[in-house]
Amino acid sequence: MSQVEAATPRSSWIAGPHRLSGTAAVVAVAVLASAALVVRDGSNDGLLLAVTILNGLSSAGLYFLVASGFTLIFGLLRVTNLAHGSFYLAGGYIGWTLRDATGSWLLALVGAALAVAAMGLLFQLLLLRRVDGDPIRESLLTIGLSVVVADLTLSIWGGSSLDIGAPALLDSTFTVNGLVYSEYRLALLGLAILVGAALYVLLKCTRLGMTIRAGVDDPVILATTGVNVPVMLSLVFGLGAFLAGLGGVAGGSYLSISQGEDARYLLVSLLVVIVGGLGSVTGAAAGALLVGLVESFAQVHLPTYSVLVTFGVMIVVLAFRPQGLLGASR
Amino acid sequence: MTTMSSGLMGRSRLEVLEGRWRLVLFVVVAGFLLVAPFVLTPFFFVQILIRSLWLGTVAVSLTFLIRYAGMISLAQTGIYGVAAYVTANLSVTRGVEPWTSACAGITVAVVLAVMVGALAARARGVYFLMLTLAVGVFLYYFALQYRPFTFGFSGINGVAVPSLGSIQLSDPRNFYYAALVAAAVCLLGLSAYSRSPLGLALQADRDCPERARALGMEPLVVRVVGFAVAGVVAAIGGVLSVWFNGQVSPGSLDVTRTIDVLVIAVLGGVARLEGAWLGALLLSVLTVYVSDLTDYYTTVIGLVFIGVVLASPNGVPGAAASAISALRRLVPRAPAHGSVPPTQQEKPS
Amino acid sequence: MTRSRTTRSVVLSLAVLSTLAAAGCGSSSDDPGSPTGGGIAGSAQKDSGAATDGVIKIGLLSTLDGAYAALGQSANQGAKVALVNAGATLDGTGDRDGITGLSIGGQDVELVIESSDATPDAALAATRQLVEKDAVDILVGPLSGDEGLAVKEYARQHPEVTFVNGTSGAQDTTLRDPAPNFFRFTTDGAQWMAGLGAYAADDLGYDKVVTIGEDYSFPYDQVGGFMAPFCADGGTVPDKIWVPLGTKDFSSYIATIPSDVDALFVALGGADVLNFTKQLDESPLAGTPILGGSISVDGSVIEGLGDRAEGIISAGPVAALDTPEYRAYADTLAATFPDAPPPGLFDVGYYIEMTATLDALDEVEGVLDDGHEALNAALTSLQLETPVGPVELDENRQAIANNYLFEVRGGSSELIETVPEVNQTLGLDRDEYIAQPANDRDNPSCP
């Protein structure tokens, strides 16, 4: 059975015709739809448009931070990590405790992300590995983990939502031409770009990245070349958890952290990677942009059904490009 | 991802009971189910047994999909929720007769299942799982936001239970037997379907889509129809649930409930369809009685779930069967005729 | 194949047997079925509601799970203060610890605690467990609005049990189509706003207010309770923003608020007010005055907002009064639960409901074997002097009580006005009031 799997190209995640191959077409449709909403609203308010786009971009930044970890784990381990939202939650809570204890935001960010990475690594080594090669049971284990994490975080940090707070340096607004916007949210977008760039360099320009990419394409052949695949898998799982933990602190610093955020960010990750294309970091970036922008426009123009609109985007994308915007179409 | 996880598909361990003993087991279980209303405490009977019947009916649609189609669908809660909502809305706000409402509910849910199937059935394995999870959550948000029909967060209260001729189904005992019949019909229907040409095609497609296609089957159609059949069963579970609770709200189909149904399928094991009801019974008992013992009962359920996934691909029955074979090996005795030695167990598909 | 044939015959026979059994038992049923309530009414352990076992069981239902766990913890503490006042000894200070040493009319009082996560589903499941498994005689709870609507429907099917509300504040639990055995000694979400709308329009001179609230029944009632007098006194509400429960990022919603509003009415849960206000102040609307809902302005919000909290006006049923009742309650709460926050809406609400329950039980000397007739009559005619003023019930068994207006001054919420004896129809004629559409996303409306 594993031979069948290994011999099958990755595109067989989706069996079916690829009717439309234009990524651009889908993006254009989305942008046009948003534009139509603006026109329909009759609002020519440039400031509103600017703020909406900025909100979309900063949300996209946060979504990318979280979803890139999800897509990395999927791409290499073929594990649908349904505990990814729990990593976000744990990251946020640990970050809050660290910020509360030390006062340093940077320490909270790095410390929490590392702690979550360790947690993920441990989970992968102790549990996931035992059902290696069986993606469904691996996903089921991650669900079990998410149930446990939700209950334990509730008993440790309680039910109230906790605000980590933005770093003092960024805790104000800037004004350009009457446009008022939060510095922190813009910085968050910067952080996402930074992380994206680092991931790109890691994957494209380092030996580890090369190995990871080889592992995504064909783990069996990779193993025959002498690479210690199990160690690499653990490392990537840890990296994915690290990114989720990072997202938890980054998000919890301006949106606060509370019970229920785990399901929310798991869902965001799913949307982003399904829209963007599974296993691809650039796909995650494209998916995050689309989801973030559509969500922010929908909240302005169709507030009651904004959540449904983002799902609608997913369904439209799937109908035309089952492999996602930038999914492999080999 | 052309094939499904082997571990969950295995049906080896359950064959340790010989035919004779299986008959005895069946008679005991059936006898118990028939007299249960008269011997159990009212609470256990209503809140555990009846609840397990409808919850198991929802879960068996998932067990069926896993067992015969290799599709782990997390949209089953969404589908049962749609059936429940349509039934509730028609009978409460529009005064439609309950049976008609229920038929409408099941119809709408099945139409939806066909649509979801058409969208998701091209995907396989974990990708299918993700898509159906997204669909399930979409339906949750729809229930939460579309107030004109679903009444938002509060949902729809006061759903009346119909009568069947002169039999008042609002009486717990009558409802129990009705639910038992419904569950048995679902079980019978699903196992009959699995042996029908379409059901066999579904299994062929699960095992090797390329070969199935080469034999002239249309995989997408086979999968969508299979998904719709499971949708019928989930919808029946939805109608039972809304009658049982007299109420439906977004909480009936949220992620927690989705996970519950998955936990049930895994606890019950997917080797046999009946496992779904066993799983539902186990989860109901765990939820009610472990919460009396510890505040961390959710953690306990999570750990039990992890343990079962790790230790026994066939859920709790599989673990029990392993225990029986282990016991047999410990107690050296001439094997009864017809028993299969553990070493010659059927290989997982 | 033989195996599956066995299975098939086995299942078939099971189905046939069950059908026969169902038909056979059907004739024995003499329950005509309830005309309005739904669902399967599992009979309680006892049939007549008689407490012949010598124990009075009180069920306590609040939200100890999920995002509102902190509120449920407060609620349980308030309820237990009432029990302590009646002479009970706590098994411990934990949320789920029971009580001992209390007896009424020669019967021991037992406390059974269950929890929900604030969804109607979970509340209903917990209620069924309390009534059908634990066989409680009286149930106190639930905590949040939509839970109350679900429990009321259930109450209708169980006349042998007495239901006393927790802090659930949905108007229609008692206003429209009430259940005869459901009592609410706290005011509802609309009553909790009494005084605020008029104050905003007349004293503060606001003309144009935009409301923002979560998308479920409690905020609908809060916004409705605010708008009715505000609009009557000439104010307008050009837009009402409803955000899905659990929203943390309000920035896109804030961007749609017209720049010329006089104030914002915020009916969000406490922690979300913090998020909202921070994000508001990162927009061109920074500094816009805020009017708060009843659960929006608590100590942690005032602390979190610092100077920004100054001047926020809110309304609610619980105020730190200078009365012996209030001081006694606050002292007992602090002495019993040293970690408890100062008295607030949830603990005081549950305290009042539990006190009413125990007072009525005392009055009938614990007699419940008359189908709760005496107990329910005692509850109906009860007049309480609570820490937050006098309470009595109207014909729908709904509280008439004082409401209070607050302003944040110098880092704490100060009482600025008392609105006495607010009834459920907010002073309007009952028939006229009920004829209006129920509070929801669109009603009331005065753009």
Side-chain angles (χ1 to χ4, degrees), chain C residues 189-197 199 218 222 225-226 265-266 291-297 312-319 345 403-407 413 415-417 419:
Chain C
Q191 286 172 287
W192 290 347
M193 283 292 101
L196 186 63
Y199 189 82
F218 176 66
Q222 292 252 287
F226 165 76
F265 175 75
V266 183
L291 302 166
S294 305
I295 60 168
S296 307
V297 190
I312 293 183
I313 314 276
S314 64
V318 173
L345 194 149
N403 204 53
Y404 304 96
L405 283 192
F406 308 93
E407 179 172 355
S413 216
L415 179 63
I416 53 172
E417 196 182 311
V419 187

mmCIF file of all heavy atoms in Angstrom, chain C residues 189-197 199 218 222 225-226 265-266 291-297 312-319 345 403-407 413 415-417 419:
data_model
loop_
_atom_site.group_PDB
_atom_site.id
_atom_site.type_symbol
_atom_site.label_atom_id
_atom_site.label_comp_id
_atom_site.label_asym_id
_atom_site.label_seq_id
_atom_site.Cartn_x
_atom_site.Cartn_y
_atom_site.Cartn_z
ATOM 1 N N GLY C 189 -32.700 41.256 29.954
ATOM 2 C CA GLY C 189 -31.701 42.062 29.255
ATOM 3 C C GLY C 189 -32.193 43.446 28.866
ATOM 4 O O GLY C 189 -31.406 44.401 28.842
ATOM 5 N N ALA C 190 -33.488 43.568 28.577
ATOM 6 C CA ALA C 190 -34.027 44.880 28.218
ATOM 7 C C ALA C 190 -34.229 45.726 29.471
ATOM 8 O O ALA C 190 -33.926 46.920 29.486
ATOM 9 C CB ALA C 190 -35.342 44.719 27.462
ATOM 10 N N GLN C 191 -34.708 45.078 30.557
ATOM 11 C CA GLN C 191 -34.890 45.817 31.815
ATOM 12 C C GLN C 191 -33.550 46.362 32.326
ATOM 13 O O GLN C 191 -33.491 47.415 32.948
ATOM 14 C CB GLN C 191 -35.506 44.897 32.878
ATOM 15 C CG GLN C 191 -36.982 44.595 32.653
ATOM 16 C CD GLN C 191 -37.473 43.537 33.624
ATOM 17 O OE1 GLN C 191 -37.131 42.366 33.477
ATOM 18 N NE2 GLN C 191 -38.272 43.930 34.600
ATOM 19 N N TRP C 192 -32.491 45.608 32.063
ATOM 20 C CA TRP C 192 -31.167 46.014 32.549
ATOM 21 C C TRP C 192 -30.680 47.303 31.908
ATOM 22 O O TRP C 192 -29.702 47.898 32.326
ATOM 23 C CB TRP C 192 -30.125 44.905 32.284
ATOM 24 C CG TRP C 192 -30.313 43.693 33.129
ATOM 25 C CD1 TRP C 192 -31.106 43.585 34.214
ATOM 26 C CD2 TRP C 192 -29.695 42.408 32.959
ATOM 27 N NE1 TRP C 192 -31.039 42.323 34.732
ATOM 28 C CE2 TRP C 192 -30.171 41.578 33.978
ATOM 29 C CE3 TRP C 192 -28.785 41.889 32.048
ATOM 30 C CZ2 TRP C 192 -29.780 40.245 34.124
ATOM 31 C CZ3 TRP C 192 -28.387 40.562 32.179
ATOM 32 C CH2 TRP C 192 -28.874 39.747 33.204
ATOM 33 N N MET C 193 -31.355 47.714 30.826
ATOM 34 C CA MET C 193 -30.962 48.948 30.155
ATOM 35 C C MET C 193 -31.795 50.138 30.625
ATOM 36 O O MET C 193 -31.558 51.274 30.205
ATOM 37 C CB MET C 193 -31.135 48.781 28.638
ATOM 38 C CG MET C 193 -30.042 47.968 27.991
ATOM 39 S SD MET C 193 -28.472 48.841 28.022
ATOM 40 C CE MET C 193 -27.652 48.052 29.372
ATOM 41 N N ALA C 194 -32.799 49.872 31.474
ATOM 42 C CA ALA C 194 -33.737 50.930 31.858
ATOM 43 C C ALA C 194 -32.990 52.171 32.340
ATOM 44 O O ALA C 194 -32.102 52.086 33.174
ATOM 45 C CB ALA C 194 -34.673 50.420 32.947
ATOM 46 N N GLY C 195 -33.364 53.279 31.781
ATOM 47 C CA GLY C 195 -32.765 54.543 32.199
ATOM 48 C C GLY C 195 -31.672 55.035 31.276
ATOM 49 O O GLY C 195 -31.447 56.232 31.133
ATOM 50 N N LEU C 196 -30.961 54.123 30.597
ATOM 51 C CA LEU C 196 -29.796 54.524 29.813
ATOM 52 C C LEU C 196 -30.201 55.318 28.563
ATOM 53 O O LEU C 196 -29.587 56.337 28.242
ATOM 54 C CB LEU C 196 -28.968 53.293 29.427
ATOM 55 C CG LEU C 196 -27.645 53.592 28.716
ATOM 56 C CD1 LEU C 196 -26.720 54.375 29.631
ATOM 57 C CD2 LEU C 196 -26.962 52.322 28.253
ATOM 58 N N GLY C 197 -31.231 54.818 27.861
ATOM 59 C CA GLY C 197 -31.642 55.485 26.620
ATOM 60 C C GLY C 197 -32.074 56.914 26.875
ATOM 61 O O GLY C 197 -31.657 57.846 26.168
ATOM 62 N N TYR C 199 -31.332 58.761 29.450
ATOM 63 C CA TYR C 199 -30.192 59.539 29.933
ATOM 64 C C TYR C 199 -29.340 60.014 28.759
ATOM 65 O O TYR C 199 -28.904 61.167 28.717
ATOM 66 C CB TYR C 199 -29.360 58.677 30.888
ATOM 67 C CG TYR C 199 -28.273 59.438 31.615
ATOM 68 C CD1 TYR C 199 -28.548 60.175 32.757
ATOM 69 C CD2 TYR C 199 -26.961 59.405 31.143
ATOM 70 C CE1 TYR C 199 -27.551 60.866 33.418
ATOM 71 C CE2 TYR C 199 -25.951 60.093 31.796
ATOM 72 C CZ TYR C 199 -26.251 60.823 32.933
ATOM 73 O OH TYR C 199 -25.264 61.504 33.589
ATOM 74 N N PHE C 218 -29.421 37.923 23.808
ATOM 75 C CA PHE C 218 -29.163 38.850 24.915
ATOM 76 C C PHE C 218 -28.806 40.257 24.416
ATOM 77 O O PHE C 218 -29.420 41.238 24.850
ATOM 78 C CB PHE C 218 -28.087 38.272 25.846
ATOM 79 C CG PHE C 218 -27.692 39.205 26.944
ATOM 80 C CD1 PHE C 218 -28.588 39.557 27.933
ATOM 81 C CD2 PHE C 218 -26.421 39.760 26.970
ATOM 82 C CE1 PHE C 218 -28.226 40.444 28.929
ATOM 83 C CE2 PHE C 218 -26.056 40.636 27.965
ATOM 84 C CZ PHE C 218 -26.959 40.981 28.942
ATOM 85 N N GLN C 222 -30.632 43.870 24.929
ATOM 86 C CA GLN C 222 -29.945 45.041 25.478
ATOM 87 C C GLN C 222 -30.090 46.233 24.537
ATOM 88 O O GLN C 222 -30.430 47.335 24.973
ATOM 89 C CB GLN C 222 -28.459 44.702 25.670
ATOM 90 C CG GLN C 222 -28.232 43.669 26.771
ATOM 91 C CD GLN C 222 -27.625 44.287 27.996
ATOM 92 O OE1 GLN C 222 -26.452 44.635 28.002
ATOM 93 N NE2 GLN C 222 -28.411 44.436 29.034
ATOM 94 N N GLY C 225 -33.635 47.396 24.634
ATOM 95 C CA GLY C 225 -33.927 48.116 25.869
ATOM 96 C C GLY C 225 -33.326 49.516 25.868
ATOM 97 O O GLY C 225 -33.882 50.448 26.434
ATOM 98 N N PHE C 226 -32.184 49.664 25.203
ATOM 99 C CA PHE C 226 -31.573 50.981 25.098
ATOM 100 C C PHE C 226 -32.330 51.846 24.102
ATOM 101 O O PHE C 226 -32.621 53.017 24.343
ATOM 102 C CB PHE C 226 -30.099 50.848 24.661
ATOM 103 C CG PHE C 226 -29.507 52.145 24.184
ATOM 104 C CD1 PHE C 226 -29.147 53.127 25.088
ATOM 105 C CD2 PHE C 226 -29.323 52.385 22.826
ATOM 106 C CE1 PHE C 226 -28.621 54.337 24.646
ATOM 107 C CE2 PHE C 226 -28.794 53.585 22.385
ATOM 108 C CZ PHE C 226 -28.442 54.565 23.296
ATOM 109 N N PHE C 265 -23.017 52.629 21.287
ATOM 110 C CA PHE C 265 -23.552 51.757 22.328
ATOM 111 C C PHE C 265 -22.971 50.365 22.119
ATOM 112 O O PHE C 265 -23.157 49.742 21.078
ATOM 113 C CB PHE C 265 -25.083 51.707 22.260
ATOM 114 C CG PHE C 265 -25.679 50.736 23.229
ATOM 115 C CD1 PHE C 265 -25.731 51.042 24.579
ATOM 116 C CD2 PHE C 265 -26.147 49.503 22.805
ATOM 117 C CE1 PHE C 265 -26.265 50.137 25.484
ATOM 118 C CE2 PHE C 265 -26.674 48.586 23.708
ATOM 119 C CZ PHE C 265 -26.726 48.911 25.054
ATOM 120 N N VAL C 266 -22.238 49.882 23.115
ATOM 121 C CA VAL C 266 -21.464 48.657 22.955
ATOM 122 C C VAL C 266 -22.049 47.559 23.834
ATOM 123 O O VAL C 266 -21.926 47.599 25.053
ATOM 124 C CB VAL C 266 -19.992 48.900 23.326
ATOM 125 C CG1 VAL C 266 -19.186 47.638 23.088
ATOM 126 C CG2 VAL C 266 -19.419 50.038 22.512
ATOM 127 N N LEU C 291 -21.212 54.079 25.386
ATOM 128 C CA LEU C 291 -22.257 53.657 26.320
ATOM 129 C C LEU C 291 -22.160 52.143 26.399
ATOM 130 O O LEU C 291 -22.040 51.478 25.356
ATOM 131 C CB LEU C 291 -23.636 54.063 25.788
ATOM 132 C CG LEU C 291 -23.848 55.569 25.530
ATOM 133 C CD1 LEU C 291 -25.102 55.786 24.695
ATOM 134 C CD2 LEU C 291 -23.954 56.301 26.851
ATOM 135 N N GLY C 292 -22.208 51.603 27.601
ATOM 136 C CA GLY C 292 -21.935 50.173 27.730
ATOM 137 C C GLY C 292 -23.148 49.350 28.115
ATOM 138 O O GLY C 292 -24.039 49.825 28.817
ATOM 139 N N GLY C 293 -23.183 48.106 27.654
ATOM 140 C CA GLY C 293 -24.213 47.163 28.074
ATOM 141 C C GLY C 293 -23.956 46.688 29.498
ATOM 142 O O GLY C 293 -22.972 47.078 30.139
ATOM 143 N N SER C 294 -24.837 45.812 29.981
ATOM 144 C CA SER C 294 -24.779 45.438 31.395
ATOM 145 C C SER C 294 -23.598 44.533 31.744
ATOM 146 O O SER C 294 -23.192 44.465 32.893
ATOM 147 C CB SER C 294 -26.072 44.734 31.792
ATOM 148 O OG SER C 294 -27.164 45.541 31.483
ATOM 149 N N ILE C 295 -23.077 43.798 30.761
ATOM 150 C CA ILE C 295 -21.932 42.944 31.091
ATOM 151 C C ILE C 295 -20.681 43.469 30.395
ATOM 152 O O ILE C 295 -19.700 42.762 30.211
ATOM 153 C CB ILE C 295 -22.179 41.473 30.698
ATOM 154 C CG1 ILE C 295 -22.441 41.327 29.209
ATOM 155 C CG2 ILE C 295 -23.327 40.886 31.501
ATOM 156 C CD1 ILE C 295 -22.394 39.889 28.739
ATOM 157 N N SER C 296 -20.747 44.749 29.966
ATOM 158 C CA SER C 296 -19.645 45.277 29.166
ATOM 159 C C SER C 296 -18.598 46.007 29.986
ATOM 160 O O SER C 296 -17.427 46.050 29.606
ATOM 161 C CB SER C 296 -20.196 46.227 28.097
ATOM 162 O OG SER C 296 -21.203 45.595 27.353
ATOM 163 N N VAL C 297 -19.006 46.605 31.094
ATOM 164 C CA VAL C 297 -18.072 47.462 31.830
ATOM 165 C C VAL C 297 -17.821 46.882 33.216
ATOM 166 O O VAL C 297 -18.491 47.230 34.169
ATOM 167 C CB VAL C 297 -18.623 48.897 31.950
ATOM 168 C CG1 VAL C 297 -17.532 49.818 32.491
ATOM 169 C CG2 VAL C 297 -19.116 49.402 30.612
ATOM 170 N N ILE C 312 -17.409 56.482 30.698
ATOM 171 C CA ILE C 312 -18.274 55.483 30.083
ATOM 172 C C ILE C 312 -19.527 55.311 30.939
ATOM 173 O O ILE C 312 -19.442 55.133 32.148
ATOM 174 C CB ILE C 312 -17.556 54.125 29.943
ATOM 175 C CG1 ILE C 312 -16.412 54.233 28.937
ATOM 176 C CG2 ILE C 312 -18.534 53.023 29.506
ATOM 177 C CD1 ILE C 312 -15.693 52.935 28.674
ATOM 178 N N ILE C 313 -20.692 55.415 30.301
ATOM 179 C CA ILE C 313 -21.955 55.258 31.015
ATOM 180 C C ILE C 313 -22.514 53.871 30.724
ATOM 181 O O ILE C 313 -22.474 53.410 29.577
ATOM 182 C CB ILE C 313 -22.996 56.282 30.524
ATOM 183 C CG1 ILE C 313 -22.395 57.674 30.428
ATOM 184 C CG2 ILE C 313 -24.250 56.244 31.395
ATOM 185 C CD1 ILE C 313 -22.387 58.440 31.697
ATOM 186 N N SER C 314 -22.995 53.199 31.747
ATOM 187 C CA SER C 314 -23.610 51.892 31.500
ATOM 188 C C SER C 314 -24.776 51.711 32.460
ATOM 189 O O SER C 314 -24.993 52.532 33.354
ATOM 190 C CB SER C 314 -22.590 50.776 31.675
ATOM 191 O OG SER C 314 -22.141 50.733 33.010
ATOM 192 N N ALA C 315 -25.522 50.642 32.266
ATOM 193 C CA ALA C 315 -26.666 50.374 33.124
ATOM 194 C C ALA C 315 -26.725 48.900 33.446
ATOM 195 O O ALA C 315 -26.258 48.072 32.665
ATOM 196 C CB ALA C 315 -27.954 50.807 32.437
ATOM 197 N N GLY C 316 -27.298 48.567 34.602
ATOM 198 C CA GLY C 316 -27.394 47.167 34.980
ATOM 199 C C GLY C 316 -28.123 47.013 36.295
ATOM 200 O O GLY C 316 -28.423 48.007 36.969
ATOM 201 N N PRO C 317 -28.394 45.768 36.680
ATOM 202 C CA PRO C 317 -29.212 45.529 37.866
ATOM 203 C C PRO C 317 -28.411 45.456 39.169
ATOM 204 O O PRO C 317 -29.004 45.339 40.231
ATOM 205 C CB PRO C 317 -29.841 44.175 37.571
ATOM 206 C CG PRO C 317 -28.801 43.478 36.754
ATOM 207 C CD PRO C 317 -28.103 44.534 35.953
ATOM 208 N N VAL C 318 -27.100 45.504 39.097
ATOM 209 C CA VAL C 318 -26.301 45.319 40.315
ATOM 210 C C VAL C 318 -25.447 46.551 40.564
ATOM 211 O O VAL C 318 -24.649 46.945 39.717
ATOM 212 C CB VAL C 318 -25.402 44.069 40.197
ATOM 213 C CG1 VAL C 318 -24.460 43.990 41.376
ATOM 214 C CG2 VAL C 318 -26.258 42.811 40.113
ATOM 215 N N ALA C 319 -25.640 47.152 41.733
ATOM 216 C CA ALA C 319 -24.837 48.311 42.104
ATOM 217 C C ALA C 319 -24.333 48.125 43.530
ATOM 218 O O ALA C 319 -24.980 47.462 44.340
ATOM 219 C CB ALA C 319 -25.674 49.583 42.011
ATOM 220 N N LEU C 345 -22.839 41.070 38.346
ATOM 221 C CA LEU C 345 -24.152 40.671 37.847
ATOM 222 C C LEU C 345 -24.435 39.188 38.055
ATOM 223 O O LEU C 345 -25.536 38.794 38.436
ATOM 224 C CB LEU C 345 -24.221 41.052 36.368
ATOM 225 C CG LEU C 345 -25.576 41.039 35.701
ATOM 226 C CD1 LEU C 345 -25.599 42.100 34.606
ATOM 227 C CD2 LEU C 345 -25.889 39.692 35.105
ATOM 228 N N ASN C 403 -33.248 49.275 38.678
ATOM 229 C CA ASN C 403 -32.118 49.245 37.766
ATOM 230 C C ASN C 403 -31.237 50.459 38.044
ATOM 231 O O ASN C 403 -31.686 51.434 38.643
ATOM 232 C CB ASN C 403 -32.603 49.242 36.316
ATOM 233 C CG ASN C 403 -31.568 48.634 35.398
ATOM 234 O OD1 ASN C 403 -31.104 47.522 35.653
ATOM 235 N ND2 ASN C 403 -31.205 49.350 34.354
ATOM 236 N N TYR C 404 -29.988 50.361 37.650
ATOM 237 C CA TYR C 404 -29.029 51.398 38.055
ATOM 238 C C TYR C 404 -28.225 51.904 36.874
ATOM 239 O O TYR C 404 -27.885 51.147 35.962
ATOM 240 C CB TYR C 404 -28.088 50.846 39.124
ATOM 241 C CG TYR C 404 -28.829 50.312 40.325
ATOM 242 C CD1 TYR C 404 -29.115 48.954 40.444
ATOM 243 C CD2 TYR C 404 -29.279 51.175 41.315
ATOM 244 C CE1 TYR C 404 -29.814 48.460 41.530
ATOM 245 C CE2 TYR C 404 -29.993 50.685 42.406
ATOM 246 C CZ TYR C 404 -30.256 49.335 42.512
ATOM 247 O OH TYR C 404 -30.969 48.869 43.576
ATOM 248 N N LEU C 405 -27.908 53.206 36.895
ATOM 249 C CA LEU C 405 -27.034 53.807 35.884
ATOM 250 C C LEU C 405 -25.690 54.103 36.514
ATOM 251 O O LEU C 405 -25.606 54.546 37.661
ATOM 252 C CB LEU C 405 -27.617 55.132 35.384
ATOM 253 C CG LEU C 405 -28.777 55.093 34.407
ATOM 254 C CD1 LEU C 405 -28.976 56.499 33.833
ATOM 255 C CD2 LEU C 405 -28.506 54.115 33.288
ATOM 256 N N PHE C 406 -24.628 53.861 35.731
ATOM 257 C CA PHE C 406 -23.271 54.060 36.257
ATOM 258 C C PHE C 406 -22.454 54.930 35.323
ATOM 259 O O PHE C 406 -22.665 54.954 34.125
ATOM 260 C CB PHE C 406 -22.541 52.719 36.387
ATOM 261 C CG PHE C 406 -23.298 51.679 37.134
ATOM 262 C CD1 PHE C 406 -24.108 50.777 36.462
ATOM 263 C CD2 PHE C 406 -23.216 51.605 38.508
ATOM 264 C CE1 PHE C 406 -24.821 49.812 37.147
ATOM 265 C CE2 PHE C 406 -23.920 50.635 39.200
ATOM 266 C CZ PHE C 406 -24.729 49.748 38.519
ATOM 267 N N GLU C 407 -21.484 55.606 35.933
ATOM 268 C CA GLU C 407 -20.491 56.303 35.125
ATOM 269 C C GLU C 407 -19.126 55.960 35.707
ATOM 270 O O GLU C 407 -18.957 55.923 36.926
ATOM 271 C CB GLU C 407 -20.732 57.818 35.182
ATOM 272 C CG GLU C 407 -19.712 58.585 34.366
ATOM 273 C CD GLU C 407 -20.044 60.076 34.259
ATOM 274 O OE1 GLU C 407 -21.111 60.490 34.746
ATOM 275 O OE2 GLU C 407 -19.221 60.803 33.684
ATOM 276 N N SER C 413 -16.626 52.353 38.759
ATOM 277 C CA SER C 413 -17.961 52.594 38.250
ATOM 278 C C SER C 413 -18.820 53.190 39.365
ATOM 279 O O SER C 413 -19.078 52.533 40.359
ATOM 280 C CB SER C 413 -18.538 51.263 37.770
ATOM 281 O OG SER C 413 -19.314 51.445 36.637
ATOM 282 N N LEU C 415 -22.320 54.893 40.909
ATOM 283 C CA LEU C 415 -23.768 54.935 40.706
ATOM 284 C C LEU C 415 -24.203 56.373 40.482
ATOM 285 O O LEU C 415 -23.882 57.267 41.269
ATOM 286 C CB LEU C 415 -24.450 54.367 41.946
ATOM 287 C CG LEU C 415 -25.972 54.348 41.944
ATOM 288 C CD1 LEU C 415 -26.486 53.458 40.837
ATOM 289 C CD2 LEU C 415 -26.490 53.866 43.285
ATOM 290 N N ILE C 416 -24.907 56.644 39.362
ATOM 291 C CA ILE C 416 -25.361 58.018 39.155
ATOM 292 C C ILE C 416 -26.878 58.150 39.193
ATOM 293 O O ILE C 416 -27.401 59.243 39.354
ATOM 294 C CB ILE C 416 -24.837 58.617 37.829
ATOM 295 C CG1 ILE C 416 -25.169 57.721 36.638
ATOM 296 C CG2 ILE C 416 -23.346 58.864 37.912
ATOM 297 C CD1 ILE C 416 -24.835 58.368 35.306
ATOM 298 N N GLU C 417 -27.606 57.050 39.000
ATOM 299 C CA GLU C 417 -29.055 57.176 39.021
ATOM 300 C C GLU C 417 -29.684 55.823 39.333
ATOM 301 O O GLU C 417 -29.163 54.796 38.915
ATOM 302 C CB GLU C 417 -29.543 57.668 37.652
ATOM 303 C CG GLU C 417 -30.965 58.194 37.646
ATOM 304 C CD GLU C 417 -31.405 58.630 36.252
ATOM 305 O OE1 GLU C 417 -30.651 59.380 35.602
ATOM 306 O OE2 GLU C 417 -32.481 58.207 35.826
ATOM 307 N N VAL C 419 -33.196 53.689 38.888
ATOM 308 C CA VAL C 419 -34.521 53.649 38.258
ATOM 309 C C VAL C 419 -35.328 52.622 39.040
ATOM 310 O O VAL C 419 -35.049 51.431 38.970
ATOM 311 C CB VAL C 419 -34.423 53.224 36.781
ATOM 312 C CG1 VAL C 419 -35.780 53.358 36.103
ATOM 313 C CG2 VAL C 419 -33.367 54.042 36.060
#
